[in-house]
Amino acid sequence: MAHKQYILPSAGDRCHVMGILNVTPDSFSDGGRHEAAEAALAHARAMIAEGADIIDIGAESTRPGAAAVDETAEWARLEPVLEPVIALGVPVSIDTYKAAIARRACALGAALVNDVWGLQKDPAMADVVAEAGVPVVMMHNRLEADASIDILSDMDRFFERSMEMAARARIPRERQILDPGFGFGKTMDQNYLVLNRLDHLARHGLPVLAGASRKRMIGAVLDVPTGERLFGSLAVHLLASERGAVIVRVHDVRPHVEALAIQAAMRREAFAGEPVRTGH
């Protein structure tokens, strides 16, 4: 099946919203909620109706302490859901670090690969992405947090390795996207340093995705449980967009679509002298 092509937002457009669809029993925020195929499809439809630009489907939790899932189990969770969601007509991203899963998902029509290990976990991943001809999100990750390191320098080195792997596999630069990996192998202070200095990533010349939806970095500041972190998530993602992110990965689609539309209207008026457009 040919994939529904994903096209990054143009200058002046609203930052794109990637809606999260977890088909896992143990994700930190919504584990088990969309595990059944019917529930997953209904949630995908709802996110599309709310304005999601892309749906990100994952079948293995990457929360701290989550049990690893083998390829067979991961595909068993994905298979009943993936093709029906792709058929809805909005680009679909596959959230996996396993090359075999990415290959099968792209063969069904997935439009993007979202790799939380930035092509560095599975040596076959870069070639799979190149063969599929889809964009890839390369996320910064660490096995554990270390408060003593310069996290920005660590990210630079990590992304340089990822970009080298992408180049060797002949993944065009216009299909490479960086993700700073909020909450992955970072202390709380490092998460906020990365947010504050997100424009640092501009030196790599690639678009940036930010995903902090409902994460502990928000709960720690606001002292609210996972399900009550919408307002904090909006704040972090609006700040990330101001600092250069062109995609945000979220659980709550409509609030982000609307907040980012207001931000885009302000940008058009302030920087481009264009009239403010109505509607999405």
Side-chain angles (χ1 to χ4, degrees):
M1 180 188 295
H3 62 264
K4 171 73 174 180
Q5 186 178 9
Y6 175 65
I7 300 172
L8 286 158
S10 301
D13 287 349
R14 165 180 60 78
C15 175
H16 277 187
V17 174
M18 174 186 279
I20 298 168
L21 182 59
N22 286 321
V23 287
T24 59
D26 58 346
S27 290
F28 82 97
S29 175
D30 54 1
R33 189 173 299 174
H34 309 120
E35 194 176 4
E38 298 81 4
L41 189 58
H43 187 54
R45 285 197 184 100
M47 289 193 291
I48 291 168
E50 291 179 350
D53 301 284
I54 186 166
I55 302 296
D56 189 50
I57 302 180
E60 177 177 0
S61 174
T62 52
R63 66 177 174 80
V69 175
D70 65 26
E71 179 188 324
T72 301
E74 186 173 351
W75 187 252
R77 295 173 182 177
L78 285 168
E79 190 172 23
V81 174
L82 193 57
E83 204 164 3
V85 173
I86 289 169
L88 296 176
V90 168
V92 168
S93 166
I94 179 67
D95 179 1
T96 187
Y97 57 84
K98 299 184 184 74
I101 296 293
R103 179 182 287 109
R104 296 175 79 171
C106 290
L108 289 179
L112 186 147
V113 173
N114 182 11
D115 184 349
V116 299
W117 281 101
L119 304 177
Q120 297 182 35
K121 188 80 165 179
D122 187 331
M125 181 64 94
D127 287 334
V128 166
V129 172
E131 290 163 9
V134 299
V136 60
V137 177
M138 303 180 295
M139 195 191 82
H140 173 264
N141 208 335
R142 293 177 53 83
L143 289 173
E144 58 184 20
D146 182 350
S148 70
I149 67 169
D150 179 336
I151 194 65
L152 295 177
S153 295
D154 190 79
M155 288 173 60
D156 286 339
R157 289 190 294 271
F158 183 97
F159 286 138
E160 285 161 8
R161 288 195 297 273
S162 293
M163 290 185 292
E164 286 170 7
M165 295 175 75
R168 285 199 299 270
R170 298 187 179 177
I171 300 171
R173 281 183 62 82
E174 59 268 24
R175 293 182 186 154
Q176 300 174 38
I177 301 164
L178 304 182
D179 178 350
F182 290 115
F184 287 83
K186 297 171 185 66
T187 67
M188 200 61 57
D189 286 345
Q190 286 171 342
N191 279 312
Y192 280 98
L193 185 153
V194 169
L195 176 61
N196 198 36
R197 299 282 306 282
L198 197 64
D199 52 0
H200 172 90
L201 296 183
R203 66 180 55 197
H204 298 294
L206 297 177
V208 172
L209 177 151
S213 187
R214 302 182 184 176
K215 287 188 175 176
R216 191 166 59 90
M217 64 181 286
I218 294 165
V221 172
L222 302 180
D223 192 24
V224 292
T226 305
E228 296 178 18
R229 296 176 185 173
L230 167 60
F231 303 140
S233 300
L234 278 169
V236 169
H237 289 140
L238 283 168
L239 290 166
S241 180
E242 283 295 314
R243 286 158 173 78
V246 299
I247 309 170
V248 291
R249 182 179 180 273
V250 310
H251 294 89
D252 303 286
V253 170
R254 182 179 173 183
H256 281 87
V257 168
E258 294 187 351
L260 290 163
I262 297 296
Q263 182 192 60
M266 288 185 64
R267 285 175 174 171
R268 285 193 296 271
E269 192 283 328
F271 300 114
E274 299 177 7
V276 174
R277 298 194 296 266
T278 58
H280 296 318

